[in-house]
Amino acid sequence: QVQLVESGGGLVQAGGSLRLSCAASGFTFSISRMDWYRQAPGKARELVAGISSAGLTNYADSVKGRFTISRDNAKNTVYLQMNSLNPEDTAVYYCHTIRSTNDYWGQGTQVTVSS
């Protein structure tokens, strides 16, 4: 079955960096689009970044120039490098993919940015 396991969250000061990882299993990772979403308290879940099987990327305007999504198909892992973090980036970050029209989510990893 599809499994997505995030790691790398934590507490960081404003201006700092974190790298999130999402280890995937149960499907053919190399041909799958992968996304990172986030959900802050009291807010809707929003798309942060996505990467196609071909390596094409897209970002939310709020993170452009600060976050970088990448993938390692040999490790079945997608990453989110987050730089210049600010308190507005505080949220639970989720890994996501779609297989056969079904949405799959990881359990999420908390990112907290202190001012």
Side-chain angles (χ1 to χ4, degrees):
Q1 70 277 22
V2 174
Q3 284 194 318
L4 302 171
V5 180
E6 302 98 334
S7 61
L11 174 64
V12 64
Q13 288 189 330
S17 298
L18 283 173
R19 188 176 83 152
L20 306 183
S21 300
C22 171
S25 61
F27 63 102
T28 308
F29 178 81
S30 62
I31 64 170
S32 303
R33 176 185 174 84
M34 302 297 298
D35 303 298
W36 284 99
Y37 282 74
R38 68 185 180 187
Q39 188 166 20
K43 294 188 177 181
R45 193 170 295 190
E46 63 173 354
L47 177 65
V48 175
I51 185 165
S52 73
S53 57
L56 298 176
T57 60
N58 63 284
Y59 298 92
D61 287 343
S62 59
V63 307
K64 280 181 183 176
R66 300 188 298 123
F67 290 12
T68 302
I69 188 171
S70 61
R71 64 192 299 156
D72 185 335
N73 290 338
K75 295 182 178 180
N76 285 2
T77 300
V78 61
Y79 304 98
L80 186 67
Q81 177 67 43
M82 305 186 295
N83 299 328
S84 302
L85 285 161
N86 59 61
E88 290 70 38
D89 296 315
T90 295
V92 179
Y93 284 71
Y94 297 91
C95 185
H96 169 264
T97 193
I98 297 176
R99 304 300 303 153
S100 302
T101 74
N102 295 318
D103 286 272
Y104 294 93
W105 300 90
Q107 82 286 355
T109 186
Q110 176 71 47
V111 172
T112 303
V113 184
S114 63
S115 57

